[in-house]
Amino acid sequence: MLLYYSIINMDVAGLQKKIGKPLVFALCLLPFIVLLVQLLTNKLGANPIEAFTRQSGEWGLRFLLLTLTVTPFRHLIGQSWPLRYRRMLGLFVFFYICIHLSSYIVLDQFFDWSEIGADIIKRPFITIGMTAFVLLIPLALTSNKNMMKRLGRNWQRLHRLVYVIAICAVLHFFWLVKADLYTPTVYASMLGLLLAYRLFKTYRST
Ligand code: HEM
């Protein structure tokens, strides 16, 4: 019985190692492919550019919260395998936000840099979105194992910026919606829970 159990367990672990990452990669890319197909086939409603910008931004925020959920989830189930996917999820945050920003620069503003500069200065929701994007860059650049080793303890310190980025992202969403605050409130509550968990863990370990 024990032998049977360990063979099954070994198979599941082996299978997860083999197909886990490609599967998660494909699942993370799926929203982008769907969005792109919808854009190219005119299925994004009356204002396709706005819909594309908004949806890519929302996917960026979803992946951001998902990345922050990895550690609490790992503690909850008492296994370390979720950690294997954290870096990929984090890089997908950067990917969706690059798409979001490109959509704003190319489709919305047609590379009008003076208009974009004025937006960054004058519209608080763009200012804070841009802050979140700039803060994401060092995290994306240092997400590989090599940089992790080189930075040592500073790597963890630097990557705590992800919480600041998430707060900026939620504020960005709150600032841009004028009437219906329901969706940003849902994301803010999720972030609140994740931050509370993080603070609780830090407090307990000191
Ligand atoms: C971490 C960075 C960012 C995140 C997580 C993010 C997320 C979001 C979210 C969730 C929305 C609203 C989606 C909806 O209404 O369903 C949004 C809208 C928007 N974002 Fe961002 N964003 C980020 C950075 C930026 C940057 C850098 C810019 C441009 C400089 C930008 C420009 C916009 C614009 C223009 C909209 C409104 C689209 C419209 O209504 O036409 N965002 N973003």
Side-chain angles (χ1 to χ4, degrees), residues 50 54 57-58 97 100-101 104 125 129-130 132 169 172-173 176:
E50 186 186 290
R54 284 185 166 233
E58 206 164 336
I97 296 310
H100 181 57
L101 179 60
Y104 164 76
F125 91 90
M130 207 59 201
H172 170 69
F173 201 171
L176 93 101

Side-chain angles (χ1 to χ4, degrees), residues 20-31 56-74 80-98 136 139-140 143-144 155 159 162 165 194:
K21 280 196 178 171
L23 185 69
V24 173
F25 183 87
L27 284 174
C28 293
L29 200 60
L30 196 63
S56 53
E58 206 164 336
W59 276 108
L61 183 55
R62 284 180 190 138
F63 277 106
L64 188 56
L65 295 178
L66 199 62
T67 310
L68 292 177
T69 310
V70 170
T71 301
F73 180 62
R74 178 176 76 100
S80 64
W81 64 260
L83 272 185
R84 237 179 270 153
Y85 305 104
R86 194 172 57 180
R87 179 152 49 117
M88 194 193 294
L89 291 174
L91 284 172
F92 266 103
V93 176
F94 191 62
F95 171 74
Y96 278 98
I97 296 310
C98 284
L136 264 178
L139 302 202
S143 67
N144 54 61
W155 188 89
H159 279 252
V162 70
I165 295 168
L194 291 165

